[in-house]
Amino acid sequence: MIVVMNHCADKKDIQAVISKLEKTGFQIHLSEGVERTIIGAIGDKTRLGSMSLEAMPGVEKVVPILAPFKLASRNFREENTVVCVGDIEVGGDAIHVMAGPCAVESREQLMESALRVKEAGATILRGGAFKPRTSPYSFQGLEEKGLEMLAEAREATGLKIVTEVMDPRTLPLVAQYADILQIGTRNMQNFFLLKEVAAMDKPVLLKRGISATIEEWLMAAEYIIAGGNSQIILCERGIRSFETYTRNTLDLTAIPVLKHLTHLPVIVDPSHAIGKWRFVLPMARAAVAAGADGLIIEVHPNPSEALCDGPQSLTPENFRHLMDEVRQVSKIMNRKMPDA
Ligand code: PEP
Ligand code: MN
């Protein structure tokens, strides 16, 4: 449930409610908004007995959160969460685009990608160093060498880095390099990994599980927030459907639904959703028009030579064109976009 404090409530009133709830075994999560303070209380409501929180000074109302996700819910926090990645604000006024190759392949490939996506207006560089591949015989990523290259590219361009962490055992290593920790579709319900990233002081990009419902996805986010980290960006990346022409089916409906259900920022990955480069642009436009806070796009200097996901990767020229078009849609949506 949440306890909404009224405008006149002072620190003493808030503390009194918190103490009472803690004594009754509730776990407390405080949300101090501009307008008023909301106390999120997770625990067994029946333990309150006849105790009336509403009668306490400063309490405006007590509202049960019926959804199974509590802290991720818009009821708990009305205002949008803005995830700060250095000076970049994801979920704020501006649309941010993360772009780069599927996998880090070499210093040259990454540096060229980084320079070109930055030129076109991306603010965050993507690139996998640990790659979750369907086949054990496919390229698995350059691991720590790849992370070092990402750090070099950050140094050279000023772009922030988003890269995937697949396993709690490599989390400390990945966290040394990443500005945003990416949880991939295959790990969305790896609860050990979720608990570990929850303990980190780093933004998390939580991709939707390939067959996950919106509720399951928000429950995964709930794990991370409940563990202490509310810096989460949700990423719709397509779900499994009966359609086989495209790699997955981009669920654009998830964007307004999530905006209604949760305060967390939402971005879209049309590259993995569609799997074919020529359809990435229209879906990127549609995502921003539907209210997404940003995009993550695969770009490769030479897609036909890519070691991973070449068919869905844009050339730097095509990416620039995409950015020009997305910039126009952003304007209509009253969102800013960093200049190219
Ligand atoms: C990726 O972004 O490189 C990736 C593997 O994506 P997903 O987890 O959505 O398949
Ligand atoms: Mn990929």
Side-chain angles (χ1 to χ4, degrees):
M1 67 183 164
I2 56 172
V3 183
V4 181
M5 303 301 289
N6 65 34
H7 300 284
C8 320
D10 59 20
K11 280 202 161 49
K12 215 170 77 240
D13 298 336
I14 295 167
Q15 196 46 53
V17 175
I18 292 175
S19 304
K20 189 148 250 177
L21 285 165
E22 279 179 340
K23 260 188 225 139
T24 328
F26 281 85
Q27 202 193 333
I28 301 301
H29 295 264
L30 207 58
S31 168
E32 281 171 302
V34 195
E35 296 274 305
R36 57 196 168 179
T37 295
I38 291 177
I39 303 167
I42 311 282
D44 179 6
K45 236 173 87 183
T46 59
R47 293 187 61 179
L48 280 174
S50 58
M51 188 195 300
S52 170
L53 291 168
E54 258 126 345
M56 293 183 73
V59 174
E60 188 174 301
K61 58 182 175 182
V62 179
V63 186
I65 301 181
L66 299 176
F69 46 88
K70 311 285 180 199
L71 305 171
S73 152
R74 186 68 84 184
N75 291 335
F76 172 59
R77 190 182 148 88
E78 272 174 34
E79 296 136 46
N80 292 330
T81 286
V82 174
V83 174
C84 295
V85 189
D87 56 347
I88 292 170
E89 296 187 342
V90 180
D93 294 341
I95 301 287
H96 281 282
V97 179
M98 312 179 183
C102 179
V104 179
E105 297 170 10
S106 68
R107 183 166 280 113
E108 297 67 38
Q109 171 249 19
L110 186 68
M111 202 57 87
E112 162 98 18
S113 306
L115 292 168
R116 301 294 295 274
V117 301
K118 177 171 172 142
E119 234 172 62
T123 46
I124 299 166
L125 176 66
R126 63 148 291 141
F130 291 90
K131 291 304 304 173
R133 304 305 301 276
T134 302
S135 167
Y137 309 117
S138 301
F139 174 60
Q140 303 282 311
L142 296 180
E143 304 189 344
E144 188 164 7
K145 278 206 176 65
L147 295 172
E148 284 166 9
M149 291 173 196
L150 284 165
E152 271 177 45
R154 169 174 51 206
E155 193 65 35
T157 60
L159 292 168
K160 304 289 178 205
I161 301 297
V162 58
T163 196
E164 180 161 353
V165 56
M166 283 173 48
D167 187 314
R169 288 170 295 187
T170 50
L171 175 59
L173 176 70
V174 176
Q176 268 178 45
Y177 294 91
D179 297 301
I180 306 174
L181 297 163
Q182 176 175 332
I183 305 278
T185 195
R186 295 157 189 83
N187 268 319
M188 188 207 81
Q189 283 189 317
N190 180 339
F191 299 114
F192 283 109
L193 184 58
L194 298 180
K195 285 181 193 172
E196 293 292 322
V197 298
M200 311 284 311
D201 186 19
K202 259 208 191 215
V204 176
L205 180 70
L206 181 64
K207 295 189 102 179
R208 181 180 188 174
I210 198 155
S211 297
T213 63
I214 287 174
E215 188 171 298
E216 286 164 343
W217 187 11
L218 288 174
M219 290 309 285
E222 187 81 7
Y223 262 90
I224 303 173
I225 307 180
N229 186 353
S230 52
Q231 296 284 288
I232 303 168
I233 305 163
L234 299 168
C235 177
E236 161 61 38
R237 50 78 68 207
I239 47 175
R240 270 279 156 88
S241 78
F242 55 82
E243 182 54 68
T244 55
Y245 187 78
T246 51
R247 185 174 176 181
N248 293 286
T249 295
L250 180 60
D251 182 10
L252 284 174
T253 63
I255 305 166
V257 172
L258 287 168
K259 286 282 163 195
H260 173 69
L261 292 176
T262 181
H263 49 86
L264 297 172
V266 180
I267 71 161
V268 168
D269 174 352
S271 308
H272 287 89
I274 288 113
K276 296 180 178 174
W277 70 267
R278 66 177 66 251
F279 306 122
V280 170
L281 163 61
M283 290 298 97
R285 281 193 309 240
V288 173
D293 296 299
L295 297 164
I296 179 164
I297 309 280
E298 284 191 344
V299 179
H300 194 287
N302 190 356
S304 62
E305 304 272 305
L307 296 181
C308 185
D309 286 349
Q312 68 194 33
S313 299
L314 298 185
T315 59
E317 293 73 29
N318 282 335
F319 177 66
R320 172 171 272 280
H321 178 51
L322 176 146
M323 291 294 277
D324 291 343
E325 299 238 333
V326 167
R327 198 165 277 116
Q328 292 182 44
V329 179
S330 303
K331 236 178 251 163
I332 296 169
M333 296 300 293
N334 258 330
R335 306 286 294 262
K336 291 183 223 149
M337 227 175 113
D339 288 330

